[in-house]
Amino acid sequence: MEGVQIHDFDFNKLMEFAATTKGEVFLKTTEGDVLNLKSRLTQLLVLSGAIAQGTIEEATVICTNKDEESALFRMNLYGDNK
């Protein structure tokens, strides 16, 4: 699982995306931590430490469902989730 590199990504959009996926979604930080984005505890940790002004500056998001990972890539690239 390589994942999708995201930069300056809106935290709320990422949480909305994670909430709609069928598979698991993980955030891998630049420090190497891997956090399950479907976990409320993880969401609070990410919100308090890994973001600045509502955006995630840099991280890797890994989806267990490759179609959902492709959708995230398009969302990161084009700014939509279609």
Side-chain angles (χ1 to χ4, degrees):
M1 287 189 273
E2 253 183 66
V4 176
Q5 290 283 334
I6 59 173
H7 302 277
D8 300 320
F9 201 86
D10 183 277
F11 177 76
N12 289 325
K13 281 188 178 183
L14 184 58
M15 291 299 96
E16 288 172 14
F17 173 80
T20 62
T21 61
K22 294 178 182 173
E24 296 296 321
V25 181
F26 300 96
L27 178 77
K28 184 175 181 181
T29 66
T30 54
E31 293 83 22
D33 298 319
V34 179
L35 308 167
N36 184 340
L37 290 181
K38 290 200 171 194
S39 160
R40 286 303 237 191
L41 178 59
T42 297
Q43 291 172 7
L44 292 172
L45 289 172
V46 172
L47 181 60
S48 68
I51 63 170
Q53 298 179 352
T55 61
I56 298 173
E57 293 180 10
E58 182 178 354
T60 301
V61 178
I62 302 164
C63 300
T64 57
N65 181 311
K66 290 301 173 190
D67 291 336
E68 292 169 341
E69 194 166 270
S70 295
L72 178 64
F73 177 80
R74 288 189 303 276
M75 189 171 137
N76 186 46
L77 187 62
Y78 300 114
D80 65 15
N81 55 0
K82 296 178 181 168

